[in-house]
Amino acid sequence: MAVRAQFENNNEIGVFSKLTNSYCLVAIGGSENFYSVFEGELGDVVPVVHTSIAGTRIIGRLTAGNRRGLLVPNSTTDQELQHLRNSLPDSVAIQRIEERLSALGNVIACNDYVALVHPDLD
């Protein structure tokens, strides 16, 4: 099933969210309609976590993950990291990554079996 959603009149919802088989991250500061789409469709299946990464709302661009883990950039604050650890299932490993290319969602494409990474990643 496909459901349409916008984040502040922006159709690029992948910039403002991250969805895996075990969790969903959504950016803080969105409209109630945006959140209700995710919570209505996913709330019974996976936790929907409202968060920011490095003080921004572009969490889809800054994070990479699958059902087993989540990579966040080094610029993620301690408070944001603790919020994620408290909100995500214990089976999800969260790792802060020290990397020059900090938009991890732009340079890593992954699922539960394989990852494709930018050649300049350390």
Side-chain angles (χ1 to χ4, degrees):
M1 171 184 231
V3 179
R4 296 183 187 276
Q6 287 186 326
F7 186 90
E8 295 184 356
N9 295 321
N10 188 325
N11 294 322
E12 298 173 358
I13 62 166
V15 173
F16 305 101
S17 63
K18 176 67 67 183
L19 176 62
T20 72
N21 289 342
S22 61
Y23 59 89
C24 177
L25 304 179
V26 292
I28 57 174
S31 69
E32 199 55 44
N33 283 344
F34 179 74
Y35 297 131
S36 67
V37 168
F38 285 93
E39 290 165 355
E41 295 297 320
L42 302 170
D44 296 337
V45 182
V46 297
V48 178
V49 180
H50 300 231
T51 190
S52 62
I53 298 292
T56 71
R57 301 184 300 178
I58 56 171
I59 60 175
R61 301 274 179 163
L62 295 178
T63 62
N66 61 21
R67 70 182 164 107
R68 295 185 181 107
L70 175 66
L71 301 178
V72 297
N74 192 49
S75 53
T76 304
T77 67
D78 291 339
Q79 182 180 0
E80 292 166 336
L81 197 59
Q82 190 60 48
H83 173 63
L84 290 170
R85 287 196 170 120
N86 291 341
S87 303
L88 294 179
D90 291 336
S91 60
V92 177
I94 304 170
Q95 181 67 47
R96 192 184 275 163
I97 302 295
E98 177 70 41
E99 177 57 51
R100 180 181 60 84
L101 300 173
S102 62
L104 301 174
N106 286 348
V107 296
I108 301 171
C110 62
N111 64 18
D112 292 339
Y113 305 101
V114 67
L116 304 173
V117 299
H118 190 283
D120 292 339
L121 280 180
D122 291 333

